[in-house]
Amino acid sequence: MSNAVSALNGQEAKGDVTVRELGLTGMITLRGDFEDENFGAALSQITGAGVPDVRHFVQAGDFTVLWMSPDELLVILPYEKAAETVAAFDAALKGTHFLAVNVSDARALISISGDFANEVLAKLSPVDMSADRFTAGMVRRTRLAQVAAAFWMLPDGSYNLMCFRSVADYAFGLLSTSAKAGKVGAI
Amino acid sequence: MLILHCPYCGVYAEETELHAGGEAHLKRATIGDSDEAFEEYLFMRENKKGVHLERWRHANGCGKWFLCARDTATLEVYGTYPAQTTEPPADIVAAITAKHPGWSWKEKA
């Protein structure tokens, strides 16, 4: 078996806003009917978290569950737990209409932290990033310049961003350039 | 800049997050239908200068299709509604009729 490596192997661009690839992280796409009792029960039994509100996420221990669309969630968890968690979903939801897929190696996760992290993202996305509009706990699927991305704000004020692995280098370049260019002060 | 409200995720998405999908409320022709019905379904499209009902997809977002009533000349948006709708809902029709008395979708039908 070859060793698993993340898209950018933990690359980091330090500065007033630091951009860092988060390394190997487990990610599971979970689709199903949120209204279904089985679905909610299986989710809370396996992850300890309930179904998050629209465009929000919930954290429970090692697990973070993010709202992606009206029928899709993303579960973030330790890399080595991904396979067994998919198997647990498969067993718990057997017979219902659902989908659980391990997408850990198909995506990249990048952390953006620092005092004007929101401006670094605002320069690249058509999203209102002002402090009173985009708050901790919120998730937004959008585009980052020319590629699809999703980002969310953590309680400490930093952001995590997810994109496809194939565009990780492009996304990292965008974010680090935006961070290096400095604060605009518009928001 | 066109800004549409996505009825699924609640985002006021701007044009670059969206993908246009052409005319809304098409009726699919199926086995046993006449050649004329197939021609209508496959090729005949509205090309309005004025109120138009369209499909849009929140492509760089939640990925869902939704429907939108807007004016192609003024870019005024009358409202958006879920794709699981076979005809324009009453509130959308009311918003359009307020501006265009006597309006109806596909008058020729």
Side-chain angles (χ1 to χ4, degrees):
Chain A
M1 264 307 266
S2 51
N3 289 332
V5 286
S6 66
L8 301 175
N9 219 356
Q11 191 178 347
E12 188 173 24
K14 284 204 169 90
D16 291 337
V17 171
T18 294
V19 180
R20 185 167 59 90
E21 200 250 0
L22 286 171
L24 286 177
T25 312
M27 286 176 259
I28 296 170
T29 285
L30 183 64
R31 301 193 82 143
D33 179 4
F34 296 175
E35 306 291 312
D36 185 1
E37 276 177 32
N38 278 339
F39 186 87
L43 182 69
S44 58
Q45 184 207 326
I46 292 166
T47 67
V51 176
D53 289 339
V54 173
R55 281 184 290 118
H56 281 74
F57 69 86
V58 283
Q59 262 175 316
D62 280 346
F63 295 90
T64 307
V65 180
L66 298 97
W67 190 95
M68 288 280 123
S69 87
D71 55 5
E72 179 180 343
L73 300 173
L74 180 78
V75 181
I76 295 184
L77 70 170
Y79 186 80
E80 57 282 356
K81 278 192 183 176
E84 63 189 65
T85 307
V86 168
F89 278 121
D90 284 344
L93 293 169
K94 196 167 191 234
T96 65
H97 187 62
F98 82 103
L99 176 83
V101 180
N102 182 355
V103 294
S104 308
D105 298 314
R107 311 279 167 88
L109 267 185
I110 298 172
S111 155
I112 305 113
S113 58
D115 66 342
F116 61 95
N118 61 338
E119 285 203 7
V120 169
L121 286 167
K123 284 189 266 185
L124 300 166
S125 295
V127 179
D128 186 350
M129 296 302 295
S130 46
D132 57 337
R133 296 301 298 276
F134 198 91
T135 53
M138 286 178 86
V139 182
R140 184 71 154 81
R141 278 177 79 179
T142 180
R143 72 183 169 85
L144 194 75
Q146 304 197 37
V147 296
F151 51 77
W152 53 98
M153 188 180 179
L154 300 170
D156 66 2
S158 68
Y159 297 83
N160 279 0
L161 179 139
M162 179 186 72
C163 62
F164 286 114
R165 184 187 182 109
S166 56
V167 297
D169 187 48
Y170 172 78
F172 188 90
L174 284 174
L175 291 164
S176 53
T177 306
S178 175
K180 201 175 159 193
K183 190 178 167 79
V184 178
I187 53 173
Chain B
M1 179 63 76
L2 184 65
I3 295 176
L4 299 178
H5 176 252
C6 172
Y8 296 99
C9 65
V11 162
Y12 284 85
E14 53 105 292
E15 219 170 316
T16 63
E17 273 193 21
L18 302 167
H19 181 80
E23 185 181 329
H25 303 302
L26 292 178
K27 191 169 177 296
R28 181 184 286 262
T30 186
I31 299 164
D33 282 350
S34 65
D35 288 353
E36 288 71 27
F38 267 98
E39 185 196 20
E40 177 75 24
Y41 164 59
L42 290 170
F43 304 114
M44 307 312 263
R45 293 290 181 271
E46 294 289 297
N47 186 18
K48 290 272 184 67
K49 182 182 180 186
V51 180
H52 196 28
L53 304 181
E54 295 174 320
R55 301 164 72 229
W56 285 86
R57 181 171 178 250
H58 195 186
N60 280 322
C62 66
K64 297 296 174 195
W65 284 98
F66 60 91
L67 307 180
C68 163
R70 69 177 185 110
D71 192 307
T72 57
T74 65
L75 293 192
E76 179 178 5
V77 176
Y78 299 101
T80 55
Y81 48 103
Q84 291 74 22
T85 314
T86 50
E87 55 185 43
D91 59 324
I92 302 282
V93 174
I96 301 171
T97 313
K99 286 282 173 66
H100 301 273
W103 175 86
S104 72
W105 178 235
K106 285 203 172 182
E107 301 89 325
K108 62 190 167 82

